[in-house]
Amino acid sequence: FSSLFHHCLSLYHPSISDSYERRNEGASRVIGTILGTIDKHSIEVTNCFSVPHNESEDEVAVDMEFAKNMYELHKRVSPTEVIVGWYATGFDITEHSVLIHEYYSREATNPIHLTVDTALQSGKMNIRAYVSAQMGVPGKTVGVMFTPLSVKYVYYDTERIGVDLLQRIRLATNRTKGLTSDLSQVGGAAARVQDMLATVLAYIEDVLSGKVTADNSVGRFLMDLVNKVPTISAEDFENMLNSNINDLLMVTYLSNLTQAQIALNEKLLLL
Amino acid sequence: MSTNQHGASGPAQYQKSNCFLVLSQVVLKIIKHYQEEGQGSEVVQGVLLGLVVDDRLEITNCFPFPQHTEDDADFDEVQYQMEMMRSLRHVNIDHLHVGWYQSTLYGSFVSRALLDSQFSYQHAIEESVVLIYDPIKTSQGSLSLKAYRLTPKLMEICKEKDFTPEGLKKANIGFEHMFEEVPIVIKNSHLINVLMWELEDKSTVSDKHELLNLSSSNHLEKSLQLLMDRVDDMSQEIVKYNTYSRNLSKQQQQKHQYLQRRQQENAQRQTRGEASLPEEDITKMFKPPQPPPRMDTLLIAGQINNYCQNVKEFTSQNLGKLFMAEALQGHN
């Protein structure tokens, strides 16, 4: 189990941040359960929910009833998800974590513990995963050590697109963005490709003028790129292009016609 | 609720929420729900939670509804909802029910079921909306999430359940006035911004250029197929309506003729000095034909409109892409 990694779908992270933002007064961190599926060597985390808890100097209380209930409810929707561990916001692992971890080891075999550094103690939001291991002298003092796991992010296609949109929102002022539609989307995508091409061109210029040493592998990629544009005779391409454009125009015309027809029908009925 | 009563006369007063804010986690949760549970089945649904801030509706969280399976005969949806909301309240998540979401394939969501659900939601909560998520369009490159609400006119009609042609004529409803779309704005909180910076560093998957894919005629074919089916349905409804109006006019004629004959006979009897025949109740004799309910026609018209819009959007995008391809070839 030492080479266990841990794919995690990025989408539940915003829920963790959200729960952190909504924590009770005086609570310094938030904990919750994470759900997912277990594969042979990796655990895939797909969902999470927060669990109310109280933490003070010497004791910690977790609302276990609540955790059980929520898990039942979630199981109704996605029956394949199981409890794979728990998360906590904050940078370090405290002694209380050990206790909470023990509780979760009753629920799941070898649970993982995730820390999300929402207080940005190290300047970034560090997301780490740990698994516990026994250590110490057997029979005498036994302790628990948390060993880190490697974390990888995996996305579905549609999720990737959602995350891209959120990335763009991050760059926008006011942190908001409406959803564009139609041609402006194609325009946006084309602009992005153009930017990338500009970067590549700048690099080529640098190599040509000797500022940067040429790299063979990059050169080969560039060859591939240029060869990707298929060489078709101009006439054939014209034909293909025209027939495609004709198809699209015909479909547009037909849909306009249909819309006019139903509008007319409506007006006639209301006479 | 009081604003709702002014609905028919002053649409300006109704527009309490002109746009609305959706937090990013809601978007991701909806996408995930469809991805995991929706493959192959019709629709996935869920509930939206949030609150009203100033004149905007903010959606801050959501949770999915389980599918209806056969072995869950005694499954209580309301109970599930109540429990979820209660639990979420414990962790300080906004538990106000503000709407619901549904996934759709190729834009075919205008149906009786949707109308009924949305009506019951909007009746209880004035601001509620339904978010329609189109996964096929999203996988083609751009997130397709739209928010709809029933217009006040349609709310009035649904309340009275008066779906006859006369009722609709009175309210002057066309299919364009059924749903109104509310523009959506997606917002990231600060922490999520930080998260996004993190993810950009860590994620290895490069930006997919699905949007610039030229080979999407499959989508077009399916959309057109659905459009054709709807148009067929529509023509059937129209035929029904035509037969009804023909029957009605025939009946009018028959009534007229009967009355005339009666009058003639009465006149003759009077000249002969006999008592005139009593005026029989003609309505009992000629039962008026049942006018067909117009609601289905309206829905179909709305659906056709929707398909046409989608097709047009799709073709305009494709035309742009084709011209781009031409430019590439030109410089080759």
Side-chain angles (χ1 to χ4, degrees):
Chain A
F1 241 17
S2 58
S3 62
L4 197 118
F5 36 168
H6 152 217
H7 291 208
C8 75
L9 283 119
S10 70
L11 54 82
Y12 69 92
H13 280 148
S15 330
I16 301 185
S17 328
D18 187 53
S19 324
Y20 180 73
E21 281 177 21
R22 291 168 187 280
R23 66 193 186 285
N24 283 321
E25 287 286 331
S28 58
R29 63 179 193 163
V30 179
I31 69 165
T33 316
I34 42 184
L35 309 169
T37 49
I38 304 187
D39 232 356
K40 280 180 306 200
H41 289 296
S42 61
I43 296 187
E44 212 171 291
V45 178
T46 51
N47 209 345
C48 71
F49 56 84
S50 67
V51 173
H53 85 298
N54 285 321
E55 210 169 294
S56 62
E57 277 287 322
D58 37 342
E59 67 163 11
V60 65
V62 173
D63 192 350
M64 310 195 177
E65 268 302 309
F66 180 88
K68 269 207 182 39
N69 268 343
M70 275 299 253
Y71 175 52
E72 288 300 312
L73 291 175
H74 274 268
K75 223 169 39 168
R76 291 246 189 91
V77 181
S78 14
T80 51
E81 287 181 351
V82 289
I83 298 185
V84 294
W86 63 292
Y87 71 84
T89 59
F91 192 50
D92 292 325
I93 303 184
T94 65
E95 303 95 34
H96 301 312
S97 313
V98 178
L99 294 170
I100 305 179
H101 200 81
E102 236 174 289
Y103 160 65
Y104 276 99
S105 20
R106 272 177 267 143
E107 297 283 324
T109 52
N110 212 1
I112 51 178
H113 170 46
L114 208 72
T115 54
V116 179
D117 183 15
T118 44
L120 305 172
Q121 272 170 347
S122 60
K124 301 200 309 175
M125 187 189 266
N126 261 315
I127 300 177
R128 299 221 188 110
Y130 303 91
V131 107
S132 76
Q134 297 272 327
M135 68 165 189
V137 181
K140 300 236 180 95
T141 48
V142 181
V144 162
M145 181 176 72
F146 283 96
T147 48
L149 296 171
S150 62
V151 177
K152 225 168 84 157
Y153 291 92
V154 173
Y155 303 96
Y156 297 125
D157 278 346
T158 42
E159 205 189 330
R160 174 76 223 181
I161 293 177
V163 171
D164 279 344
L165 182 65
L166 295 182
Q167 299 276 19
R168 262 173 277 147
I169 293 178
R170 158 187 60 125
L171 299 170
T173 53
N174 200 22
R175 299 170 292 127
T176 58
K177 190 157 177 114
L179 294 172
T180 55
S181 70
D182 258 24
L183 223 45
S184 45
Q185 279 169 344
V186 179
R192 285 199 286 283
V193 174
Q194 209 173 16
D195 282 340
M196 288 194 263
L197 284 177
T199 326
V200 172
L201 277 176
Y203 169 77
I204 296 178
E205 295 284 320
D206 283 344
V207 170
L208 282 180
S209 61
K211 272 191 258 179
V212 180
T213 51
D215 189 357
N216 276 342
S217 51
V218 176
R220 260 175 255 135
F221 279 130
L222 287 174
M223 270 286 280
D224 279 343
L225 183 70
V226 172
N227 282 337
K228 274 222 164 57
V229 182
T231 43
I232 319 177
S233 74
E235 210 182 281
D236 284 342
F237 186 75
E238 275 293 310
N239 283 339
M240 273 193 336
L241 193 71
N242 280 335
S243 64
N244 267 329
I245 292 184
N246 280 340
D247 283 341
L248 292 175
L249 286 179
M250 174 188 78
V251 171
T252 317
Y253 171 71
L254 283 176
S255 47
N256 276 334
L257 193 66
T258 319
Q259 274 183 316
Q261 177 77 38
I262 45 178
L264 204 62
N265 187 35
E266 208 72 44
K267 290 288 182 295
L268 284 177
L269 283 178
L270 294 178
L271 270 180
Chain B
M1 286 305 167
S2 57
T3 329
N4 214 359
Q5 257 107 47
H6 301 302
S9 58
Q13 284 159 302
Y14 190 114
Q15 289 292 49
K16 252 178 77 176
S17 313
N18 292 335
C19 76
F20 69 115
L21 221 56
V22 176
L23 289 197
S24 16
Q25 57 251 30
V26 177
V27 174
L28 291 178
K29 267 188 170 171
I30 296 181
I31 295 180
K32 174 210 175 223
H33 184 211
Y34 177 77
Q35 193 77 30
E36 299 217 330
E37 312 298 329
Q39 308 289 11
S41 71
E42 293 185 352
V43 288
V44 292
Q45 301 183 337
V47 169
L48 297 171
L49 309 163
L51 46 123
V52 178
V53 170
D54 300 334
D55 63 342
R56 276 192 335 247
L57 181 65
E58 280 197 18
I59 301 197
T60 52
N61 216 326
C62 68
F63 61 83
F65 257 179
Q67 307 276 25
H68 288 271
T69 51
E70 286 84 37
D71 41 312
D72 268 352
D74 51 350
F75 178 69
D76 194 359
E77 263 190 27
V78 178
Q79 195 206 15
Y80 172 81
Q81 228 174 294
M82 286 287 118
E83 278 206 39
M84 264 308 224
M85 309 227 300
R86 219 181 316 143
S87 318
L88 290 174
R89 205 185 328 191
H90 275 293
V91 286
N92 295 341
I93 295 184
D94 301 322
H95 55 275
L96 291 177
H97 216 157
V98 291
W100 59 301
Y101 67 86
Q102 182 176 303
S103 75
T104 173
L105 294 170
Y106 297 110
S108 51
F109 58 85
V110 181
S111 69
R112 202 53 192 275
L114 186 109
L115 193 69
D116 288 338
S117 310
Q118 181 60 17
F119 172 66
S120 50
Y121 264 89
Q122 224 164 311
H123 196 62
I125 304 160
E126 196 181 310
E127 306 287 335
S128 90
V129 291
V130 52
L131 268 187
I132 302 283
Y133 164 65
D134 189 348
I136 312 239
K137 206 138 174 257
T138 307
S139 63
Q140 287 191 333
S142 59
L143 181 64
S144 153
L145 201 63
K146 296 210 169 110
Y148 290 102
R149 193 195 275 146
L150 299 182
T151 50
K153 285 187 196 169
L154 196 63
M155 290 285 290
E156 289 290 322
I157 295 232
C158 280
K159 244 188 278 192
E160 295 161 28
K161 297 221 182 299
D162 178 19
F163 294 144
T164 58
E166 287 76 31
L168 289 179
K169 215 186 286 194
K170 234 192 310 173
N172 200 18
I173 280 204
F175 60 84
E176 302 109 11
H177 306 301
M178 285 205 317
F179 293 101
E180 50 183 10
E181 187 178 335
V182 187
I184 295 188
V185 169
I186 303 189
K187 179 169 156 169
N188 274 350
S189 68
H190 288 291
L191 274 182
I192 293 188
N193 264 1
V194 176
L195 183 68
M196 287 295 144
W197 286 105
E198 267 299 300
L199 284 183
E200 186 161 17
D201 279 341
K202 299 233 175 105
S203 45
T204 51
V205 180
S206 60
D207 196 13
K208 287 197 174 170
H209 294 283
E210 289 293 337
L211 192 54
L212 296 176
N213 195 0
L214 273 180
S215 63
S216 28
S217 55
N218 199 14
H219 176 114
L220 195 61
E221 263 181 49
K222 286 232 176 67
S223 301
L224 286 179
Q225 187 85 27
L226 289 169
L227 185 62
M228 282 183 347
D229 289 338
R230 282 286 152 276
V231 172
D232 279 340
D233 286 341
M234 182 74 163
S235 60
Q236 277 183 345
E237 293 278 330
I238 291 182
V239 162
K240 259 195 260 175
Y241 185 71
N242 279 343
T243 37
Y244 158 71
S245 40
R246 238 180 293 138
N247 280 345
L248 193 64
S249 60
K250 236 193 294 180
Q251 209 186 52
Q252 293 285 56
Q253 270 195 329
Q254 283 179 331
K255 272 195 218 172
H256 198 64
Q257 282 178 341
Y258 179 77
L259 276 175
Q260 275 194 325
R261 263 186 289 141
R262 257 308 157 91
Q263 280 178 344
Q264 278 184 338
E265 241 191 80
N266 276 341
Q268 283 182 342
R269 285 186 173 221
Q270 276 186 337
T271 51
R272 281 186 276 168
E274 289 170 24
S276 51
L277 289 168
E279 282 292 316
E280 277 177 22
D281 192 5
I282 45 173
T283 46
K284 261 192 276 187
M285 282 185 50
F286 294 96
K287 236 185 273 183
Q290 196 73 298
R294 300 295 300 162
M295 191 36 110
D296 286 331
T297 320
L298 210 59
L299 285 171
I300 295 178
Q303 183 64 73
I304 293 181
N305 192 30
N306 210 24
Y307 282 142
C308 292
Q309 284 293 108
N310 279 351
V311 165
K312 283 201 292 196
E313 207 175 285
F314 182 75
T315 51
S316 65
Q317 283 185 337
N318 262 20
L319 278 173
K321 289 188 231 174
L322 280 177
F323 281 125
M324 261 172 53
E326 185 185 12
L328 267 182
Q329 277 290 10
H331 289 163
N332 202 3

